[in-house]
Structures are given as C-alpha cells and as structure tokens.
Amino acid sequence: MTAPHISEQLIRENTRLLSPPLVPEICLHLAEESVPIWQKTEEELGEIGLPPPYWAFAWAGGQALARYVLDNAGLVSGKRVLDLGSGSGLSAIAAMKAGAASALAADVDLVALTAITLNAHSNAVKIELTDKDLLAAVPPACPSEPVLLGACPWVLSSHRS
C-alpha cells in the first residue's frame, strides 16, 4: 500500500494543474508528457508496486463524458453518481459541478485516489472515494444513478457473464 504523502509528492512533482481541452472549466493535476512519468513509475517506483499512472492523463473518453455531463446537467442533478475506474476523477468532478448530490470515485489504484482528492480540492468539490474493486462481484443493488464510465472500454468486454 502506498503512503498518501508519497503519492501526493509523486503527483505534485510530476504533474501541473492543467485544463483538459474539452473541459476547460475543470483543472486537473496532469502530466504534460506521457513518457517521463510513465518511465519514472515503471523504472523507479515499480519497485514499490505502483501501477502505471493512468490518473495523470485526461483520456479522450473521460473528457467526452465530462463534457456531456456538464452540458446535460439534468442527467446527474440531485443524483448520487458513481465514477467507475475514475483515474483523475474528471467525470466525478464534472458531475459535482453539474449539480450531483454526491459522487463516488472508484479506483483500485491508491495513487489515483490521492490524485482525485487533489483534483477535487482544486475544483472546490467534494468527492467520496473507494479503492474497492466494484467489478469483482455483482452488488445486490447499485446505490448510484447514473454510473459514469468514460475511459474503461475494457470493462464491457472483460466482465461479461
């Protein structure tokens, strides 16, 4: 398990607060270039078991979903939202800015959860976090409505019954 202070230091030293192109009203701690942070994570930090830094990028699917949520606030307004495979927290942040009652960002990467916390703070929103693998078992009922899934196309193909 990664200590929060190590995660926060890693994020602050290797990212800048930037606005993704499709959602300029949101700021995220993002890597400006993919190669340096990816190499650092794999070469130096791989020894302590950190996964690749998917959280350091605003993936196209996540940006498109966040833009859609912001432009169609009625989809999430007043609702509890689940952002599955949250990464940077972009979709959860967009949902909160669009008026969601709450947003739960789920990611199994503990560094991602630290990034989500920093990103939520930078956007003046509160996001709930979980590191539970919500795809490991079918829950009895989904407590959130809707479920946002912007950058995880693998989920649909790898978790079918």
Side-chain angles (χ1 to χ4, degrees), residues 9-130:
Q9 180 181 351
L10 170 73
I11 293 164
R12 291 189 187 281
E13 288 179 357
N14 293 282
T15 64
R16 281 191 344 134
L17 204 53
L18 302 168
S19 293
L22 297 180
V23 283
E25 59 268 68
I26 294 176
C27 292
L28 303 171
H29 290 271
L30 299 173
E32 290 185 277
E33 295 181 35
S34 61
V35 175
I37 192 167
W38 212 275
Q39 286 178 336
K40 182 170 186 166
T41 302
E42 288 181 348
E43 295 169 4
E44 297 176 27
L45 302 174
E47 297 174 15
I48 58 172
L50 291 178
Y54 296 110
W55 50 265
F57 305 94
W59 300 95
Q63 285 188 61
L65 180 57
R67 177 79 272 146
Y68 187 78
V69 166
L70 289 167
D71 291 345
N72 297 278
L75 296 171
V76 298
S77 183
K79 296 180 181 173
R80 298 174 312 226
V81 175
L82 169 62
D83 182 7
L84 187 60
S86 189
S88 67
L90 175 57
S91 296
I93 292 166
M96 291 305 293
K97 285 185 164 282
S102 65
L104 174 63
D107 205 300
V108 295
D109 181 348
L110 298 178
V111 180
L113 297 180
T114 301
I116 294 165
T117 300
L118 293 171
N119 290 334
H121 178 75
S122 295
N123 288 279
V125 297
K126 183 177 182 198
I127 306 290
E128 298 171 44
L129 305 171
T130 185

